[in-house]
Amino acid sequence: MCNWFRTLILFPVMLGVGGNATAGLIPVTWFAPTQPGNSNANFPTGTLYSNNFGVAFQTGPGSGYAVDWVSLLLNTSTVSGGPTATVKLSLRDTTNATAYSAVAGSTEYAVDTLSFQLPTTTSTNFTLALDEAQIPNIANYVMSGNTAYALILYDPSVNFGMGRQTGYALNTTNNYYTVGAGFTALDTFRNNTANYSNNANSFPTLSISFGSTQTVPVPSTLALAVAMVPGWWFARRRRQADRG
């Protein structure tokens, strides 16, 4: 084997790019509504954790569940001018693990105060996408497997709204959440009252999504380019041999 060809083969190894030179992060969804939301409702008044919007869920059979990201669909409702708003996001225990009965319990495992700028116009939807840097306390809390938890929002500084999808029938709401990693949807609630209903024939989901992030290898462009050289060289040699 000639020296220059040996160098081509060893070049990716010498650079350390023969495998994956970089890595990327992709979101893994543990809990999310199947539809983004067709309306919103104002937050309950009061500063107690029970003056809330929230969802109850049960973790999967594994361990080490830590929420890396949360996405919320909110609405400015009657607020205009684009003020800074705050609201508390809390991970808590539940009163039970029964579907359409579980609500937030008295034990708060982790809480973060979210601070964000509202759009300037009234009745305007906006998405609040939070990563682990914005929810450090929740992101650092490790949930146990096969355990019921509640993720709630409470104590807003201004009267904005929570996104929701209305129109579901009684005791069907849990079917309209997408879950992953073995999670189970248990309940949707407002004011810590189980099985949230905005009228007698409508039981909404809330526009609350959360999950983890997974590291995936991303092949280096340089590595891919170099890896193509030996194949090109062999093809060229075969063409020369065929021409005699």
Side-chain angles (χ1 to χ4, degrees):
M1 182 184 296
C2 63
N3 289 335
W4 68 268
F5 184 57
R6 183 182 294 109
T7 301
L8 283 177
I9 294 176
L10 294 177
F11 187 52
V13 178
M14 290 187 293
L15 287 178
V17 297
N20 301 300
T22 58
L25 296 175
I26 60 169
V28 177
T29 300
W30 288 342
F31 188 99
T34 58
Q35 295 180 285
N38 59 5
S39 67
N40 72 93
N42 286 352
F43 272 79
T45 58
T47 61
L48 299 176
Y49 83 87
S50 54
N51 304 129
N52 59 29
F53 276 115
V55 293
F57 59 93
Q58 183 164 301
T59 54
S63 61
Y65 297 109
V67 175
D68 289 340
W69 63 268
V70 174
S71 181
L72 307 169
L73 177 64
L74 304 174
N75 187 282
T76 55
S77 187
T78 60
V79 181
S80 62
T84 298
T86 62
V87 67
K88 290 178 181 177
L89 180 68
S90 173
L91 183 66
R92 307 181 76 93
D93 69 343
T94 59
T95 53
N96 58 63
T98 304
Y100 305 109
S101 175
V103 295
S106 59
T107 301
E108 186 168 71
Y109 298 122
V111 60
D112 289 292
T113 298
L114 313 179
S115 181
F116 50 94
Q117 201 81 23
L118 269 68
T120 58
T121 54
T122 62
S123 302
T124 301
N125 286 340
F126 63 100
T127 298
L128 192 60
L130 307 163
D131 60 24
E132 56 187 330
Q134 296 161 299
I135 50 170
N137 296 318
I138 288 176
N140 284 328
Y141 183 82
V142 179
M143 296 183 289
S144 302
N146 291 321
T147 304
Y149 293 91
L151 188 66
I152 69 170
L153 292 156
Y154 72 100
D155 192 17
S157 62
V158 295
N159 192 28
F160 59 90
M162 179 78 234
R164 64 185 182 182
Q165 179 73 31
T166 58
Y168 299 128
L170 174 66
N171 292 344
T172 66
T173 309
N174 291 340
N175 300 332
Y176 296 98
Y177 288 109
T178 295
V179 290
F183 278 46
T184 303
L186 291 178
D187 195 21
T188 304
F189 49 91
R190 182 179 188 268
N191 268 329
N192 227 37
T193 300
N195 210 6
Y196 170 46
S197 177
N198 64 306
N199 64 55
N201 300 306
S202 177
F203 295 79
T205 56
L206 297 180
S207 301
I208 297 174
S209 306
F210 62 87
S212 67
T213 53
Q214 179 179 348
T215 303
V216 293
V218 179
S220 165
T221 303
L222 178 59
L224 290 174
V226 172
M228 292 173 63
V229 172
W232 165 85
W233 187 85
F234 279 118
R236 181 173 180 273
R237 294 290 295 173
R238 277 197 296 271
R239 287 197 297 272
Q240 290 175 339
D242 290 342
R243 289 198 296 266

